[in-house]
Amino acid sequence: MNNKIIHHVNVLLPHQILSSATVRVTDGKIERIETQETLPFDEEYERIDGKGMWLIPGMIDVHIHGANGYDMMDGTEESIQEVSLTCAATGCTSFLATTVSSTMDDLLNMIRSVKSVVGRERGAKIAGIHLEGPYLNPRRKGMQNEKYLRHPDLDEMKLIFREAGSLIKMVTIAPELPGGLELISYLKEQGVVIAAAHSDATYEEAKEAFGAGASHVTHCFNGMRPIHHRDPGLIVAAFEEPHVSLQAIVDEVHLHPAIIRLMHRIKGPEGMVLITDALQAMGMGDGEYWFGGHHVTVSDGIARLSDGTLASSTVTMNEALRLTVENGISFTDAVQMASTSPARILDLSHKGKIEVGYDADFVLLNEKYEVLWTMIGGQQV
Ligand SMILES: [Zn+2]
């Protein structure tokens, strides 16, 4: 049944929490939000007792590579479905299936497997594909495999678009590479979010890229030229541009809490999105894994290559939300960063908020930020 009355919940509205509220869902959309239990019994509607917990808009992860032992680059539908299920279990209702630099064959296989799953996801919905690479700078490669990194190649990108069509929603590039600006103008025509990372761009190069159409920074501070007071680089250029939003990996490793607060102070919750950047080890615990053609060791939840380089994360969206609040950011702002801002950036016009007319994509969280259930389009998954 797609008609639900969710009662006795504390609802996260865009800027406030509505206590002891009732949300009525009709045909998978939010029809009414009430502050009291005034809705009469209606047998067309299934009643769900929220037991005084938090009802937040479904979170949206624009950067996830794998989960629960499955890597989306392996080119199977099963992996895409498993990540979709794990996303839903961790409070995420939409995600961008994210690539890592690879051979063209592996990339095209991944695109085909995503295409075949879209529309019949078993958990969170696929909002599209995020290409992280391969046009990245080896000087800031992080865990990206150098043997697959190359300069922007417009013909190759056109081939990728021919296979993926409108599924591509975000592309992360190093804009300072030869051909970077031409690539930006092509991607702008395609209407995708152009993100910078794994980049050694100077302040001036980054300004040029943001002027040309780049509007997002992937895992800000990680995989890019650091800030120096005489060489401010990409990060300060992004801080100065009001239209540029930032991704943050909040997992107790990738960013110091003071940096998370600084990003929040400069950009506000509307200019910042929480991501997991998770690899297949998410939900699996410590051990040995394979990612992007590298052997990765996860110890105490931290994924590293053999030389110590951080290799993605194992954090989940609900943990990232909890850590953001523990780092001193308000709950409503943290939810905005996990749900509302990614929806806006991806142009998902009826997602990311609990508001009349929006999709009934919700997560019920307890006081420990654990996911009690996830609802997508009015269906509990
Ligand atoms: Zn990366």
Side-chain angles (χ1 to χ4, degrees):
M1 190 158 43
N2 246 6
N3 295 343
K4 307 262 173 13
I5 289 171
I6 308 161
H7 60 101
H8 196 198
V9 280
N10 299 320
V11 178
L12 270 282
L13 298 179
H15 298 289
Q16 55 159 321
I17 301 176
L18 203 60
S19 304
S20 300
T22 298
V23 177
R24 184 173 157 120
V25 172
T26 306
D27 290 334
K29 301 263 181 204
I30 302 167
E31 194 202 1
R32 244 157 83 185
I33 305 163
E34 306 250 332
T35 45
Q36 289 167 346
E37 300 263 353
T38 51
L39 295 172
F41 182 78
D42 183 338
E43 58 182 33
E44 299 277 292
Y45 287 77
E46 181 189 344
R47 290 182 83 89
I48 299 170
D49 185 353
K51 301 191 171 108
M53 305 292 173
W54 288 317
L55 189 74
I56 72 163
M59 295 184 276
I60 298 169
D61 190 356
V62 303
H63 191 154
I64 177 166
H65 300 279
N68 206 26
Y70 293 88
D71 183 329
M72 289 189 284
M73 286 304 289
D74 71 13
T76 66
E77 290 183 26
E78 186 191 10
S79 290
I80 312 290
Q81 290 287 22
E82 288 290 335
V83 171
S84 159
L85 284 169
T86 306
C87 279
T90 52
C92 182
T93 52
S94 298
F95 67 103
L96 291 185
T98 306
T99 67
V100 67
S101 301
S102 68
T103 63
M104 265 303 263
D105 275 354
D106 284 350
L107 175 59
L108 295 175
N109 279 335
M110 185 271 196
I111 291 169
R112 288 183 201 113
S113 59
V114 171
K115 255 164 61 175
S116 62
V117 170
V118 168
R120 48 184 199 88
E121 300 92 332
R122 288 159 61 200
K125 300 288 177 211
I126 297 168
I129 291 174
H130 171 184
L131 300 176
E132 188 180 10
Y135 312 128
L136 305 174
N137 194 328
R139 292 194 62 184
R140 303 288 174 190
K141 64 181 189 291
M143 64 63 55
Q144 298 278 339
N145 200 319
E146 189 160 355
K147 73 177 170 202
Y148 303 124
L149 301 187
R150 44 202 188 263
H151 288 169
D153 179 336
L154 213 48
D155 290 335
E156 191 178 62
M157 190 51 99
K158 285 177 183 168
L159 188 73
I160 294 168
F161 270 85
R162 266 204 297 281
E163 185 65 48
S166 58
L167 259 187
I168 307 234
K169 298 290 184 210
M170 185 177 284
V171 181
T172 295
I173 62 164
E176 73 280 11
L177 294 176
L181 291 174
E182 291 79 359
L183 183 66
I184 288 175
S185 68
Y186 172 74
L187 293 173
K188 202 178 162 195
E189 280 168 31
Q190 306 304 314
V192 306
V193 178
I194 305 158
H198 296 289
S199 160
D200 199 39
T202 61
Y203 171 84
E204 290 74 16
E205 287 166 335
K207 280 289 216 188
E208 208 176 351
F210 294 135
S215 64
H216 194 62
V217 178
T218 288
H219 46 52
C220 191
F221 281 95
N222 288 279
M224 57 197 64
R225 180 184 285 246
I227 298 176
H228 183 279
H229 55 293
R230 282 185 292 275
D231 178 14
L234 166 65
I235 300 165
V236 175
F239 283 175
E240 283 188 350
E241 294 288 336
H243 77 289
V244 176
S245 52
L246 315 174
Q247 290 177 8
I249 309 175
V250 181
D251 67 344
E252 300 187 288
V253 187
H254 282 81
L255 297 167
H256 189 283
I259 292 292
I260 296 163
R261 291 191 289 272
L262 175 73
M263 289 165 72
H264 173 261
R265 203 169 301 133
I266 290 173
K267 285 291 175 183
E270 49 287 306
M272 208 174 149
V273 303
L274 301 184
I275 58 162
T276 64
D277 192 8
L279 79 160
Q280 58 163 302
M282 184 234 267
M284 294 291 283
D286 290 354
E288 307 294 320
Y289 299 92
W290 195 251
F291 180 48
H294 288 301
H295 180 243
V296 174
T297 302
V298 177
S299 167
D300 294 328
I302 304 167
R304 293 185 192 276
L305 305 182
S306 55
D307 66 0
T309 302
L310 285 172
S312 297
S313 94
T314 62
V315 78
T316 59
M317 283 300 277
N318 63 312
E319 286 166 10
L321 189 70
R322 172 177 62 81
L323 291 166
T324 302
V325 176
E326 287 175 5
N327 283 331
I329 290 169
S330 74
F331 188 30
T332 49
D333 276 13
V335 168
Q336 206 174 329
M337 287 151 58
S339 308
T340 321
S341 301
R344 179 187 63 78
I345 288 163
L346 295 179
D347 225 2
L348 300 171
S349 56
H350 292 94
K351 294 191 184 292
K353 282 184 202 175
I354 299 185
E355 211 168 275
V356 171
Y358 274 61
D359 292 348
D361 291 358
F362 307 121
V363 184
L364 193 72
L365 292 177
N366 67 14
E367 67 286 348
K368 292 176 180 162
Y369 298 82
E370 290 161 345
V371 175
L372 301 180
W373 50 253
T374 301
M375 182 178 285
I376 302 173
Q379 301 277 4
Q380 268 174 298
V381 290

